[in-house]
Amino acid sequence: MAGMLCVALLLTSLIWSATPTAGLAGDGHRQQQLTALPPRGWNSYDSFSWIIDEAAFLDNARIIANRLLPHGYQYAVIDFLWYRTIAAGSGVGAYGFDSMDQWGRPYPDPQRFPSGRGGGGFRPIADKVHATGLKFGIHLMNGISTQAVNANMPILDVRTGKAYVENGRQWRARDIGLTHRTCAWMPKGFMSVNTDLGAGRAFLRSLYRQYADWGVDFVKLDCIFGTDYSPKEIVTVSEILKELERPVVLSISPGTAVTPALAENITQHVDMYRVTGDDWDSWKDVRPHFDVARSFAAANKIGAPGLRGRSWPDLDMLPFGWLTDAGANQGPHRTTSLTFDEQTTQMVLWSMAKSPLMYGGDLRRLDDRTFNLITHPTLLKINHHTRNNMEFGYIHSERASKPDEQSDLSKSGYPIDVTNNGGMVLGLSTCSDKSAGGWHSSSEDRICRSYGIQNGNASFCKSKAKLLPTSDGVTMSSEEDQAKFHLADIDTDDGCLDASVSPWRTSSASQTPMFSACERHTKQVWELTENGQLVSSYSGLCATMQSSKEGENETTGARAWTAIGDKGEIYVAIFNLDTARRKITVSVPDLEKVVRRKLARCTCTEVWSRKRWSVMKGGISAVVTSHGSMLFEIRC
C-alpha cells in the first residue's frame, strides 16, 4: 500500500520552541496555547516497557527530530519507572529498587541514565532533546513513593529551600501519604498525597518545580484517572503547573472505564486524558475504541477547553513497528501483530477522532510503509485541521464474503466477565450519574440492584462480607468503617469485587469491576449510601448497571465517520469491523443532512487509491476488506 500513498497535501505544523528556564509563572506563560491542537510525539512504553536507557532514548529522539518533527511529532517521552534499577528481583511490582533524592522525590536511575549522576537529573538529556527542536516528557506515578513514606523523608519547601515547617513543626512523608490510597495496581510503589494539607501541596509543588528545572515539557501522570480516579489530586497538580514559568503539558492515565460523565469536571484541568485501557497490537484492542471515540465525540469533548489550550480524549499509543510486551522486563524484540490494514484502520480512526498521536514502536527499526502511514498528509490534516468530527450512523452494509475464522473475535484469551448478569454489566461512573442509584440491601448479607428485562424485573445481587483486617487504613474500629464491606459472589468462591482494573489488561478485556482474590486494599471496599448508591472506597466512584449490548453496532459490522476540513472539504471514512469483506454504502442524501450542504456538483476522491468516485449516483459504495477502511475526500 505504501506505493499508493499520495503525498498531495502539505501539513502545517505548530512547532513550539522550548522555554529555557523554570520558576514561578507570569501571566504571559499561562496564556500559551500549547494544546490548541492534539499533541503528537513518541513514547517509549510500547517498545521498551520500563527498561529504556539514556542511549536508546536519545537514539529514538534523534530519529524523531530528523524524520517525524517536520510532521508535527514534537514530544519525546520516557515512560514509567525511569527511577528503578534493573537488578535481580526488580520489576514492575518490586519494592526497594527506586532512586530518590533527600526529599523523597524520584531520581533517574544512575545506571540507565548516567548523565544525571552529577545532580542534574534529566536536565542533560532534556538539553540534548531541546537542541534538536523537540520537547521532552516523562511518565509519573500519582502521589508519593511508598519508599519515601516508609523512610519518613522530609518535605522540601521550595519557597525557603529548607524542610517544610507549619504550625511550629517539621512535616514529613508519613504525614502526607494516604496509606489507604496506594495505587491499586502498584501498591508497593506509590500512594496518594493528602492535598488538604499544606505539607501535601508543598511536596507536589517541590516535585513539579524540580521537573520544570530539569527542562520537562510534558508529564504523563498515571494511576490518577479511570478506575483510579483522584479528582482532588488532578486539580491540585493542574494548579501547581499553572504556577510554573515553564509551561508543562499534562496528560493523565489510565483510561479504564472512563466515560464522558467521568471526564466532565476534569477536562479543563488537563491537556489530554486516556479514555480506554491499554491499546496493544491486537484487533481485539482496536475494536472497542470505536464505541469510546463515538461517545466522546457525541458529548462534544473533542477539543474542549483545557489546561494549556484545549483538552483531547486520548485513544492511547500507536503500537506499530518493533515492540515489546506489556509490563515486560525486556526491550523491543518483535514486530506488531496488527496487519497493515488494521494499522491503517487504527490510524484513520485516531485521526478522525482527533486523538493525540503518540507512536510507540522503536524508531531505530522504522520501515518506510509505517513511516508513510503515520506521516500521511491527509490523515495528519484531518487530525489537526478539521471540525465537526463525529460518527456517521446512516450507513448500509452487507457481507461480500464468508467470515475469516482465523479472525474470529470470540476466540479471546481473557477470562469471562463474572460481573455480567444475563446481559447486564456492572460498571463504574461518577456518583452524579443518573444510573448510579437503585442499590439496596435485600437482607443482612446481600446487596442488590433491580433492573428491567423483557418479561419483568430481575435483580443483580452480591453477598456482603466483613472487611478483612487491612494495613492500608481501612479497619473496623470506627463507626464509619462499620458501614463498609467486601462484596463476594453468592454462588462461587471467586474472591471479592475489585473496583480497580489492572492496567495490564488491555482495552479488549472487560474494563468493569471484576472479582479477584480478596486482599487488604480499599479497591475491594464498598459502602451503601442512604440514597441507594454503591460507592467504592478507593476511587469514590459509584457502581452502575447497564446492558452489555448498550451502544454496540454489531448488527452491521461497519462504522463511518465524517469531518469538515478548514477549507470546507468533507472527509468520510468507512470501516469494516467484520471478519469478512463488506460492501458499505453511504447515502448522499443522508450525508447532505449531516454536512448541511448539497453535494451534486462536488468531486469525490478515495485517498489511498486516488480513484475518483461519482456522488451523482446517490451514494458512495465500496467493498472493504476485513478490518480495513477507506477514506474519501469530497471537494465542492
Side-chain angles (χ1 to χ4, degrees):
M1 182 177 288
M4 293 187 290
L5 296 177
C6 179
V7 185
L9 299 170
L10 294 176
L11 169 69
T12 302
S13 299
L14 293 180
I15 308 299
W16 297 88
S17 60
T19 305
T21 59
L24 297 178
D27 290 339
H29 290 286
R30 294 175 184 171
Q31 301 304 317
Q32 288 195 38
Q33 297 290 298
L34 292 181
T35 54
L37 301 172
R40 294 179 193 151
W42 176 83
N43 180 292
S44 64
Y45 179 68
D46 283 356
S47 44
F48 290 91
S49 185
W50 67 278
I51 68 166
I52 191 160
D53 59 25
E54 183 169 339
F57 176 74
L58 291 176
D59 283 347
N60 276 274
R62 280 187 285 269
I63 298 169
I64 302 168
N66 292 335
R67 302 193 66 186
L68 296 181
L69 182 57
H71 303 278
Y73 290 82
Q74 59 175 325
Y75 292 99
V77 182
I78 296 176
D79 210 270
F80 77 148
L81 300 185
W82 39 265
Y83 33 81
R84 185 154 296 178
T85 298
I86 299 176
S90 182
V92 173
Y95 173 81
F97 294 89
D98 295 350
S99 298
M100 293 184 297
D101 68 9
Q102 69 187 84
W103 306 107
R105 301 175 298 184
Y107 196 84
D109 172 33
Q111 294 182 20
R112 292 192 285 147
F113 302 99
S115 66
R117 288 176 181 168
F122 273 131
R123 186 80 219 191
I125 291 178
D127 287 345
K128 291 179 180 179
V129 169
H130 294 153
T132 68
L134 297 174
K135 292 192 168 186
F136 176 61
I138 57 175
H139 174 284
L140 309 172
M141 292 295 294
N142 178 40
I144 187 170
S145 164
T146 303
Q147 277 186 222
V149 172
N150 289 344
N152 204 22
M153 303 186 81
I155 297 165
L156 173 65
D157 186 342
V158 296
R159 303 182 190 280
T160 66
K162 300 177 181 179
Y164 183 82
V165 175
E166 184 180 355
N167 296 329
R169 75 177 182 94
Q170 185 183 114
W171 292 68
R172 290 180 171 268
R174 285 181 190 166
D175 298 318
I176 65 170
L178 297 177
T179 55
H180 66 284
R181 277 282 309 181
T182 55
C183 180
W185 43 271
M186 197 186 288
K188 295 179 182 178
F190 290 83
M191 66 182 69
S192 294
V193 162
N194 188 343
T195 56
D196 291 332
L197 297 175
R201 296 191 297 275
F203 173 78
L204 293 176
R205 185 174 291 110
S206 74
L207 204 62
Y208 288 92
R209 176 66 178 272
Q210 174 164 270
Y211 298 145
D213 289 339
W214 285 351
V216 171
D217 307 294
F218 178 106
V219 293
K220 175 184 173 183
L221 183 56
D222 214 339
C223 203
I224 199 168
F225 199 44
T227 51
D228 302 299
Y229 190 50
S230 301
K232 291 176 67 173
E233 289 164 272
I234 294 172
V235 173
T236 300
V237 170
S238 180
E239 291 173 346
I240 288 171
L241 290 179
K242 290 178 183 177
E243 298 174 2
L244 300 175
E245 181 177 327
R246 181 177 204 89
V248 177
V249 169
L250 177 59
S251 168
I252 59 173
S253 191
T256 46
V258 170
T259 62
L262 186 66
E264 182 63 36
N265 297 317
I266 293 301
T267 55
Q268 66 268 35
H269 300 291
V270 302
D271 298 298
M272 49 188 277
Y273 52 100
R274 279 275 298 284
V275 293
T276 69
D278 282 2
D279 175 64
W280 277 93
D281 53 323
S282 162
W283 177 253
K284 297 184 184 74
D285 288 350
V286 175
R287 183 165 182 156
H289 289 75
F290 283 88
D291 292 334
V292 175
R294 173 184 58 203
S295 66
F296 279 85
N300 296 317
K301 291 301 180 186
I302 298 176
L307 173 62
R308 294 288 180 184
R310 298 187 180 277
S311 59
W312 306 97
D314 177 14
L315 298 180
D316 202 13
M317 290 171 279
L318 299 168
F320 306 160
W322 198 242
L323 307 173
T324 186
D325 299 302
N329 290 8
Q330 186 178 11
H333 59 277
R334 62 179 182 85
T335 58
T336 182
S337 298
L338 294 171
T339 68
F340 193 70
D341 283 335
E342 291 169 343
Q343 294 175 62
T344 302
T345 292
Q346 181 170 352
M347 187 69 186
V348 174
L349 177 62
W350 266 233
S351 298
M352 293 294 287
K354 303 193 76 167
S355 171
L357 300 179
M358 291 288 179
Y359 185 73
D362 185 355
L363 292 170
R364 297 173 300 183
R365 297 189 61 164
L366 178 63
D367 61 272
D368 289 342
R369 187 161 70 158
T370 305
F371 172 79
N372 289 338
L373 176 61
I374 65 174
T375 62
H376 192 281
T378 303
L379 294 179
L380 296 186
K381 180 181 181 182
I382 292 170
N383 180 248
H384 269 186
H385 301 296
T386 50
R387 55 186 169 83
N388 297 342
N389 303 61
M390 67 181 77
E391 185 174 274
F392 178 80
Y394 308 100
I395 57 173
H396 173 76
S397 76
E398 57 187 5
R399 277 186 168 175
S401 67
K402 293 181 179 181
D404 179 2
E405 293 183 0
Q406 304 248 337
S407 301
D408 193 342
L409 291 171
S410 66
K411 297 178 180 179
S412 171
Y414 296 104
I416 297 172
D417 178 8
V418 295
T419 61
N420 191 321
N421 190 68
M424 300 299 292
V425 173
L426 181 66
L428 289 169
S429 186
T430 56
C431 294
S432 60
D433 193 317
K434 290 184 291 187
S435 64
W439 294 91
H440 61 276
S441 179
S442 65
S443 65
E444 288 187 3
D445 62 348
R446 289 192 180 186
I447 302 296
C448 298
R449 189 183 188 282
S450 301
Y451 57 90
I453 58 174
Q454 187 173 1
N455 297 319
N457 288 322
S459 291
F460 180 95
C461 294
K462 295 300 167 188
S463 178
K464 186 175 170 183
K466 288 184 178 181
L467 292 180
L468 289 173
T470 78
S471 59
D472 68 355
V474 178
T475 68
M476 294 298 293
S477 58
S478 69
E479 182 177 344
E480 178 184 356
D481 288 335
Q482 290 288 335
K484 297 179 180 179
F485 45 81
H486 292 302
L487 285 174
D489 200 55
I490 295 172
D491 301 318
T492 64
D493 186 22
D494 287 311
C496 294
L497 189 64
D498 194 327
S500 180
V501 180
S502 167
W504 317 126
R505 303 189 68 225
T506 59
S507 59
S508 60
S510 170
Q511 301 303 341
T512 62
M514 298 290 291
F515 284 96
S516 57
C518 296
E519 58 178 300
R520 301 178 177 186
H521 202 287
T522 50
K523 66 182 181 178
Q524 294 182 347
V525 178
W526 302 83
E527 181 177 7
L528 182 65
T529 67
E530 292 181 356
N531 58 356
Q533 292 181 327
L534 185 61
V535 184
S536 164
S537 295
Y538 174 66
S539 64
L541 298 177
C542 282
T544 63
M545 290 291 295
Q546 64 182 20
S547 169
S548 60
K549 297 297 182 182
E550 185 175 314
E552 293 185 0
N553 187 15
E554 300 297 337
T555 56
T556 66
R559 301 289 177 92
W561 274 65
T562 58
I564 309 297
D566 55 2
K567 295 182 179 178
E569 64 272 40
I570 301 164
Y571 295 98
V572 179
I574 56 177
F575 304 93
N576 179 12
L577 280 58
D578 201 348
T579 58
R581 292 192 307 151
R582 274 194 175 271
K583 182 179 180 181
I584 304 174
T585 301
V586 174
S587 164
V588 168
D590 288 335
L591 185 58
E592 288 176 335
K593 293 176 185 177
V594 172
V595 301
R596 299 180 182 180
R597 185 184 309 172
K598 292 295 182 182
L599 305 177
R601 296 178 180 238
C602 303
T603 61
C604 178
T605 304
E606 203 283 313
V607 171
W608 307 130
S609 65
R610 304 310 301 171
K611 179 182 176 182
R612 297 288 287 270
W613 294 66
S614 172
V615 294
M616 299 287 290
K617 298 179 180 180
I620 301 170
S621 185
V623 175
V624 183
T625 188
S626 171
H627 300 172
S629 60
M630 296 181 76
L631 177 62
F632 299 90
E633 182 182 61
I634 300 173
R635 290 182 175 269
C636 303

